Amino acid sequence: MPDIDIATPIRPAPALPLRARLAPLLMPHRLVMAGLALTALAAIVTQMDWSWLPGYLPKIGHGLLVTLALLVSSVAAGFALALPLGAVQVTGPAPLRWLANGFCTVIRGTPLLLQLWLIYYGLGALFAQFPEIRASWLWPYLRQAWPYGFLTLTLSFAAYQGEVMRGAFAGVPRGELEAARAFGMPRLMVFRRVWFPRAVHRALPTLAGEIILQLKATPLVATITVTDLYAVITRVRQATYLTYEPLLLLIAIYLCLSGTLTLALRWLEGRVPSGR
């Protein structure tokens, strides 16, 4: 058997020259598509009426902040809820496993708009019937619409991501968990050092798609009077009698947000340790 040199480090592959890296972008059909896109962008900027935009920029900025706040808070709270939902479906006792599975099935099997209306009109009307709640410090918040939008988005994200985490937890090789226990790690340390990071690393590609879907679900809160970005654009259309310009601006903003989230999550995917 030939000797294998394991001491000398493997040299990294040489970097491709700039021309070779740009070659896929300089293909004829891509150049044509880029030219058409730039022509369409120039026509949109120069031929359409954008005189209304400076006057509505503060309201658009406020709506964007509301949208981002709902997105970040619902994703963070939903992911925190999805972890026990996923773990209990893999290793939990049968009653908890049935409850978690039933919750995910009901939320994932019904329209998000229906859930939003049931929570807003149902809980909102129910809370108003109790004088104790109306006299408490919570009533100034419960009488507003955004807590119900936040709750609905959180439960929806938790149900979808809980099913993803169930598959991620179940996909971690059992031998790795047994090896960790053989080293004398307690159960909590096994979860923190091996099971959880390996499952999160497996779920990150799907998590990116779920966050983008969550971003596209936030305009539904406008139906319960939350003034998010979509609600502001709707008011702009009603006030200016313009159709295409506000909608094109809304599309551009959502595309920028989706692209930024995609790049950030891809970077995070490479930074999160896999537990190996």
Side-chain angles (χ1 to χ4, degrees):
M1 175 180 288
D3 295 334
I4 301 176
D5 185 6
I6 62 174
T8 304
I10 300 176
R11 295 180 179 179
L16 293 174
L18 180 61
R19 184 176 180 179
R21 285 181 287 175
L22 293 178
L25 300 177
L26 299 178
M27 298 178 68
H29 68 283
R30 291 185 176 176
L31 291 176
V32 171
M33 294 179 63
L36 292 175
L38 290 176
T39 303
L41 179 60
I44 289 173
V45 172
T46 58
Q47 301 299 322
M48 290 188 169
D49 181 12
W50 299 100
S51 59
W52 54 271
L53 185 56
Y56 284 97
L57 277 179
K59 294 182 179 180
I60 293 175
H62 178 267
L64 178 61
L65 291 178
V66 172
T67 295
L68 292 177
L70 282 173
L71 174 66
V72 173
S73 59
S74 63
V75 166
F79 187 75
L81 184 58
L83 291 178
L85 283 174
V88 79
Q89 292 185 77
V90 178
T91 61
L96 291 180
R97 188 165 62 248
W98 294 337
L99 286 175
N101 188 27
F103 170 80
C104 293
T105 301
V106 171
I107 297 297
R108 294 168 68 232
T110 53
L112 180 58
L113 183 60
L114 176 60
Q115 300 167 19
L116 180 63
W117 286 353
L118 283 175
I119 291 177
Y120 176 65
Y121 294 109
L123 288 180
L126 182 64
F127 290 152
Q129 297 179 5
F130 294 92
E132 296 82 5
I133 296 179
R134 298 181 64 178
S136 68
W137 62 271
L138 288 173
W139 182 243
Y141 301 98
L142 295 178
R143 65 187 299 178
Q144 301 181 48
W146 66 264
Y148 306 99
F150 164 74
L151 178 60
T152 305
L153 292 174
T154 298
L155 294 180
S156 175
F157 188 84
Y160 281 94
Q161 193 59 33
E163 193 66 20
V164 172
M165 292 307 300
R166 180 197 63 78
F169 281 126
V172 176
R174 187 175 297 273
E176 296 183 7
L177 304 179
E178 294 176 353
R181 297 190 190 100
F183 274 102
M185 292 185 182
R187 297 186 64 179
L188 183 59
M189 184 177 292
V190 172
F191 178 82
R192 183 172 57 88
R193 298 290 298 273
V194 180
W195 202 20
F196 175 69
R198 292 285 280 127
V200 170
H201 193 269
R202 286 170 171 267
L204 269 180
T206 308
L207 177 62
E210 293 293 337
I211 293 179
I212 299 300
L213 290 176
Q214 186 79 346
L215 171 64
K216 293 189 291 186
T218 54
L220 292 178
V221 299
T223 62
I224 59 171
T225 71
V226 176
T227 311
D228 71 326
L229 182 61
Y230 175 77
V232 172
I233 293 298
T234 300
R235 295 180 182 180
V236 171
R237 292 176 58 204
Q238 294 171 349
T240 61
Y241 299 101
L242 296 173
T243 300
Y244 298 107
E245 289 86 345
L247 291 180
L248 288 173
L249 177 63
L250 183 63
I251 290 173
I253 293 175
Y254 275 110
L255 284 177
C256 292
L257 292 176
S258 300
T260 303
L261 286 173
T262 300
L263 293 176
L265 290 168
R266 285 181 181 175
W267 175 84
L268 181 63
E269 184 178 349
R271 294 283 179 155
V272 171
S274 62
R276 293 181 178 178

